[in-house]
C-alpha cells in the first residue's frame, strides 16, 4: 500500500521516456526524409558543378602554350648572352675578330665595350616566339605519340623517334622566321624587329628553312625519347625524386641533342 501513497514522478518536457511512441516514430521519419533531401541536393549540386568544372579545363593547346612559354621564356632569358656570343662568333667578322678568344672572354669583351644590356639584344623576339614554338612542338609530339600508339597498340622506340621528327619539322614554321629576325638583330644595328621583318620580306624570312627543319627535327627526335626514358629510370638510378630528377633528365636529353645537331646551327 505504500507505493500507492508515494507521489507520482513528474515527467519533464525533454524526457525521452515521456515522449509517446507515435511522436518518436514521426520524428524518426522526419529525420530520414530530411537526410534524403540533403542527399538529393548534394547529387543535384554535383551534377550541376561537374560540367562547369569540365568546361573550365583549358584545352590542350592552351596548356602546352602556357607551359612552353613559361619554361621557354625562362630558359631563353637565362642562356641568351651565351646564344648572343655564339652567333657573333659564327659570323665571318666574328671568326676573325675573336679567333684567339674563348667564349667567356668574348662575352666579357662585349659587356665591357657595349654594356651589359648589349648581350640581350633581340631577346624580345626570342621570348615572343617561344610560346608558339613550344606549343607546336609539345602538341604535335603528343598527338603523334597517341596516334602511333592507337594504330600499333604500343609505342616503340622508332615510333618515339618518328613523333619527335614530326614535332621538330612542324615547329620550323615559327623557328625559321624567328631565327632570321633574331640573328639580324644580334649582328646588325637594326632598329627593331618590325623594321627587320619589313626589310626581309617573306622570302628573307624563309631563308634557310630546310636546314632549320633538319636541325629541329633531329633535335626533337633525340630530345623527346631520351627525356621520356630518362625520367623513368633516373629516380631509381640516382635516388632522385620530383624536380631534381626532372632537371637531370632534361639535362641528359637536351645536352646530347644540342651537341649532335650543332653543325646545323652554323
Amino acid at each position: 500500500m505504500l507505493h500507492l501513497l508515494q507521489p507520482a514522478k513528474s515527467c519533464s518536457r525533454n524526457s525521452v521516456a515521456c515522449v509517446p511512441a507515435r511522436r518518436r516514430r514521426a520524428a524518426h521519419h522526419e529525420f530520414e526524409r530530411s537526410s534524403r533531401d540533403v542527399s538529393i541536393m548534394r547529387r543535384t549540386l554535383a551534377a550541376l558543378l561537374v560540367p562547369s568544372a569540365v568546361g573550365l579545363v583549358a584545352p590542350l593547346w592552351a596548356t602546352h602554350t602556357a607551359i612552353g612559354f613559361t619554361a621557354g621564356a625562362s630558359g631563353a632569358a637565362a642562356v641568351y648572352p651565351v646564344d648572343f656570343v655564339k652567333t657573333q662568333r659564327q659570323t665571318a667578322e666574328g671568326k676573325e675578330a675573336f679567333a684567339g678568344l674563348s667564349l667567356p672572354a668574348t662575352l666579357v669583351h662585349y659587356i665591357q665595350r657595349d654594356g651589359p644590356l648589349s648581350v640581350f639584344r633581340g631577346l624580345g623576339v626570342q621570348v615572343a616566339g617561344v610560346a608558339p614554338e613550344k606549343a607546336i612542338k609539345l602538341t604535335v609530339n603528343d598527338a603523334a605519340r597517341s596516334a602511333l600508339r592507337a594504330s600499333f597498340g604500343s609505342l616503340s622506340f622508332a615510333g618515339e623517334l618518328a613523333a619527335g621528327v614530326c614535332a621538330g619539322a612542324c615547329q620550323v614554321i615559327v623557328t625559321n622566321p624567328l631565327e632570321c629576325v633574331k640573328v639580324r638583330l644580334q649582328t646588325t644595328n637594326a632598329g627593331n624587329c618590325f623594321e627587320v621583318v619589313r626589310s626581309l620580306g617573306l622570302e628573307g624570312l624563309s631563308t634557310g628553312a630546310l636546314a632549320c627543319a633538319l636541325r629541329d627535327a633531329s633535335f626533337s627526335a633525340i630530345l623527346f625519347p631520351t627525356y621520356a626514358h630518362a625520367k623513368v629510370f633516373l629516380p631509381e638510378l640516382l635516388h632522385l625524386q620530383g624536380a631534381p630528377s626532372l632537371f637531370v633528365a632534361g639535362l641528359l636529353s637536351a645536352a646530347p641533342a644540342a651537341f649532335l645537331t650543332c653543325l646545323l646551327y652554323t
Side-chain angles (χ1 to χ4, degrees), residues 240-264:
L240 293 175
Q241 299 293 334
S245 176
L246 296 177
F247 176 80
V248 176
L251 182 64
L252 293 178
S253 57
F259 177 76
L260 293 175
T261 60
C262 65
L263 292 177
L264 295 172

Side-chain angles (χ1 to χ4, degrees), residues 86-157:
K86 172 187 71 70
T87 303
Q88 300 297 328
R89 293 173 63 90
Q90 288 174 340
T91 62
E93 296 82 1
K95 290 178 180 178
E96 296 179 1
F98 308 114
L101 294 179
S102 62
L103 191 145
T106 307
L107 179 62
V108 172
H109 168 78
Y110 270 100
I111 292 175
Q112 291 178 344
R113 192 187 70 178
D114 301 328
L117 294 181
S118 63
V119 294
F120 290 95
R121 192 166 63 234
L123 176 61
V125 177
Q126 180 78 359
V127 171
V130 158
E133 172 197 343
K134 302 303 181 185
I136 292 173
K137 177 187 291 188
L138 295 174
T139 302
V140 172
N141 181 70
D142 286 351
R145 291 171 71 95
S146 299
L148 291 171
R149 188 179 291 109
S151 299
F152 298 101
S154 62
L155 186 64
S156 63
F157 185 71

